[in-house]
Amino acid sequence: MNKDKENLKIAIEGWLGAKYELVENNRFFPKNMGKFYELIDLIRKSSMLFIKPATILYRARVIHDEKELSNTKPFLGYNKEGSFISPRGITNDGRVNPRLIRYLYVANDEVTAAMECRAKLEDKISIAEIQCSNMLKIADLVYYKELEGVDECFRFLLAREF
C-alpha cells in the first residue's frame, strides 16, 4: 500500500474509533481514545494558529426576546454581557459544548459568525465585536492542503465533521 493510502487508513481508523466512542458510548468521558489523542497531538504540532491581542473577533446570537436588547442609538442588539458567553441557564447543546456548559463561539468575520449561530431565515441576530485581551493559541482545522501525512488526513476528516 502506498504511503498516502496508509496515512489515510490510520487517520480513518483513529477517527472512526473516536467518533463511535464519543457518539455511542460516552461523549464527555470517553475511554480507549489513545490513537485519537495521538492524532490530535499531531494536529497540535502541525497546525497551530496564533491570534494576537487586540484582534477583533465576531460573536453572533439569535435574538429570542427583543426586550433583552439594548437600543442605545446607533446600537441595537445585546449589551456587552449579553454579547459575550451565553447567559447561564439558556445554553443549549452545541457541536462541541454540552447543554448548560457555556462556550464562546467566535469567528473572524461577521458573515461566518452569523452563519455559525444557525439562525433561521426569519430570525433576527445580534453581532458583536469582541477584542482579544490575550494571545490565543488554537488548532486550525481548515483543510486546504494535499493529504501528505496522517495529520493532514486526520485534519481533513475533522474538518468534514465540523
Side-chain angles (χ1 to χ4, degrees):
M1 184 180 306
N2 72 25
K3 191 67 173 161
D4 289 342
K5 286 184 180 178
E6 183 63 27
N7 288 336
L8 188 56
K9 181 178 182 238
I10 292 167
I12 289 171
E13 287 172 355
W15 173 243
L16 291 179
K19 183 176 179 180
Y20 175 79
E21 180 67 22
L22 292 167
V23 173
E24 301 292 331
N25 289 331
N26 195 337
R27 179 175 177 186
F28 304 112
F29 303 102
K31 298 178 173 93
N32 306 319
M33 299 284 284
K35 181 51 98 178
F36 178 77
Y37 292 144
E38 288 174 28
L39 294 169
I40 289 292
D41 197 45
L42 277 175
I43 289 176
R44 181 187 61 80
K45 292 174 182 172
S46 68
S47 64
M48 295 312 298
L49 180 67
F50 296 91
I51 299 175
K52 297 176 182 173
T55 299
I56 300 295
L57 299 173
Y58 298 90
R59 158 83 157 120
R61 282 189 58 206
V62 174
I63 298 169
H64 296 291
D65 184 357
E66 292 191 29
K67 293 179 211 147
E68 298 175 11
L69 301 179
S70 169
N71 60 4
T72 306
K73 297 196 183 213
F75 179 77
L76 176 62
Y78 287 109
N79 62 16
K80 183 177 179 178
E81 293 79 25
S83 294
F84 202 57
I85 299 171
S86 298
R88 292 194 189 283
I90 70 161
T91 305
N92 295 318
D93 284 328
R95 279 186 280 170
V96 179
N97 67 293
R99 187 172 183 273
L100 301 179
I101 296 181
R102 305 176 317 149
Y103 282 29
L104 177 63
Y105 288 90
V106 294
N108 61 356
D109 63 77
E110 298 97 325
V111 173
T112 303
M115 293 174 71
E116 285 291 321
C117 75
R118 298 184 284 191
K120 297 179 191 84
L121 189 57
E122 64 276 0
D123 286 340
K124 294 178 182 176
I125 59 172
S126 175
I127 298 178
E129 290 183 356
I130 296 178
Q131 185 175 20
C132 295
S133 56
N134 299 316
M135 175 76 76
L136 301 177
K137 182 177 169 182
I138 62 172
D140 180 3
L141 298 180
V142 176
Y143 170 72
Y144 54 88
K145 298 179 183 177
E146 297 294 319
L147 299 178
E148 294 176 349
V150 174
D151 60 326
E152 296 289 331
C153 294
F154 192 66
R155 184 191 306 182
F156 169 75
L157 294 170
L158 284 178
R160 285 190 45 154
E161 286 296 319
F162 280 99

